[in-house]
Amino acid sequence: MARTTKPYKVRELQQTLYRAAKADPGRRFHALYDKVYRRDVLERAWELVRANHGAAGIDKQSIADVEQYGIATLLDELAADLKQGSWRPLPARRVFIPKPGREELRPLSIPAVRDRIVQAAARTVIEPIFEADMLECSFGFRPRRSQHDALQVLVDEAWGGRRWVLESDVANCFEAIPHSQLMTAIEERIVDRHILKLLRAMLRAGVMEDEAVTRSDTGTPQGGVISHRACATSICTGLTGSGPRADTGSWSVSQTIWS
C-alpha cells in the first residue's frame, strides 16, 4: 500500500505529546481520541503490525488475507468505526507455546489483525505520554530499549566497582494486572473518555479457547500490541508489586538492583 500521508507527521505528534508530558508531570491529557483514527497514525499502525508477521486471530484473517482485501479499504473502515464509536474488538485466540528450557507452556493470545491495527494506533498516541514518566533505570517493554541495554548497565556498574546484584522476577506478569487499578493509573495522565473507553474495550475483549470465550477483570493478554505498554505502565506504577521505588538500579521485566 502506498502511503497517502507524510510519515514524519506521526513522529512530530509523538514528540509533541512527549514534550508536553515531560514539561508538566501533573498534566492530564484531553482530546487524544481523534489522533487514533488519523490516517497517518493508522497507516503507521498497519506498518508495525505487518512488520511483526503475526498469525491470524479467531476470524482466521492473516496478514496476506488483509492485504488481498485491501489495506486502504480496511483502514477507511477502521477510521469510520472509531470515529462513530462502533469499533468492537473480537476475543483473542488463545494458544500455548513452550517456554525456552522448560516443560511448562506460556499462554499467548492473538487478536485479529484489524484489532491489532487499532491497538497499535492507540499505543502510538498514548505511549509518548507514559514514556515521559518512566525512570531512566527502566528498560522493560519500552521503545528502543531492551534487556540487553539493562545488562550493559550492569556491566558498566561492575567495572565501576559494584559487586552485588539482587534479581527478582514478576510472576505471571501479564495475567496478574488488575484492570481497575491499571485504568486508575492511566487516568492519572489521560482523561479523554473516548480513549479510556477504547482501552477498556481492549482489556475486556477476552480470549477464545476451545470455542469458549472467557473474560476476566485482571490481565492483559500476552500477544496483543497494547499489552507491553500496559505491562510497562503497571510495573512503573507498582501495580504488580515490583515497580521501582527509586532510581537505584536497572530493571527490565525482572527487577535488578545493584549495591
Side-chain angles (χ1 to χ4, degrees), residues 43-138:
E43 287 181 354
R44 176 57 180 160
W46 159 247
E47 291 170 356
L48 293 171
V49 170
R50 179 179 57 183
N52 199 44
H53 303 294
I58 65 170
D59 61 355
K60 301 181 180 179
Q61 297 296 302
S62 65
I63 295 290
D65 293 329
V66 169
E67 290 179 319
Q68 185 176 7
Y69 177 75
I71 301 306
T73 301
L74 176 61
L75 297 186
D76 286 341
E77 292 173 354
L78 290 176
D81 288 345
L82 289 166
K83 187 173 183 179
Q84 296 166 8
S86 59
W87 176 81
R88 297 292 183 273
L90 294 172
R93 179 169 64 92
R94 173 59 59 88
V95 298
F96 292 89
I97 59 174
K99 289 186 175 182
R102 302 184 187 180
E103 295 184 0
E104 61 183 307
L105 298 176
R106 181 195 308 275
L108 189 68
S109 302
I110 306 173
V113 174
R114 62 188 297 123
D115 292 341
R116 298 206 296 270
I117 295 172
V118 176
Q119 288 187 16
R123 178 175 177 172
T124 296
V125 173
I126 70 172
E127 189 165 61
I129 297 170
F130 293 101
E131 274 296 299
D133 295 333
M134 301 296 282
L135 296 176
E136 185 61 30
C137 62
S138 166

Side-chain angles (χ1 to χ4, degrees), residues 28-244:
R28 304 173 76 191
F29 286 78
H30 302 76
L32 294 173
Y33 185 68
D34 63 309
K35 314 296 188 297
V36 175
Y37 56 80
R38 257 177 41 174
R39 185 66 181 205
D40 55 345
V41 172
L42 286 173
E43 287 181 354
R44 176 57 180 160
W46 159 247
E47 291 170 356
L48 293 171
V49 170
R50 179 179 57 183
N52 199 44
H53 303 294
I58 65 170
D59 61 355
K60 301 181 180 179
Q61 297 296 302
S62 65
I63 295 290
D65 293 329
V66 169
E67 290 179 319
Q68 185 176 7
Y69 177 75
I71 301 306
T73 301
L74 176 61
L75 297 186
D76 286 341
E77 292 173 354
L78 290 176
D81 288 345
L82 289 166
K83 187 173 183 179
Q84 296 166 8
S86 59
W87 176 81
R88 297 292 183 273
L90 294 172
R93 179 169 64 92
R94 173 59 59 88
V95 298
F96 292 89
I97 59 174
K99 289 186 175 182
R102 302 184 187 180
E103 295 184 0
E104 61 183 307
L105 298 176
R106 181 195 308 275
L108 189 68
S109 302
I110 306 173
V113 174
R114 62 188 297 123
D115 292 341
R116 298 206 296 270
I117 295 172
V118 176
Q119 288 187 16
R123 178 175 177 172
T124 296
V125 173
I126 70 172
E127 189 165 61
I129 297 170
F130 293 101
E131 274 296 299
D133 295 333
M134 301 296 282
L135 296 176
E136 185 61 30
C137 62
S138 166
F139 292 87
F141 303 130
R142 296 185 62 191
R144 295 175 297 282
R145 288 189 169 212
S146 71
Q147 64 271 33
H148 301 292
D149 298 311
L151 288 173
Q152 185 59 51
V153 173
L154 296 183
V155 171
D156 294 343
E157 290 295 325
W159 279 107
R162 306 278 190 171
R163 289 294 178 265
W164 292 91
V165 175
L166 171 64
E167 181 180 9
S168 62
D169 186 49
V170 181
N172 200 22
C173 182
F174 285 91
E175 301 295 328
I177 299 171
H179 292 176
S180 60
Q181 294 180 46
L182 174 60
M183 291 306 302
T184 298
I186 291 172
E187 288 167 9
E188 289 295 317
R189 275 303 212 169
I190 295 175
V191 292
D192 184 323
R193 61 186 181 89
H194 297 294
I195 282 282
L196 297 175
K197 180 180 178 181
L198 185 71
L199 296 176
R200 288 191 184 97
M202 293 175 183
L203 290 173
R204 296 171 179 170
V207 296
M208 176 177 285
E209 181 182 354
D210 297 328
E211 300 185 353
V213 176
T214 58
R215 293 182 173 87
S216 174
D217 57 3
T218 62
T220 173
Q222 188 171 1
V225 179
I226 202 73
S227 297
H228 285 179
R229 180 69 264 166
C231 189
T233 301
S234 68
I235 293 175
C236 182
T237 55
L239 299 185
T240 59
S242 56

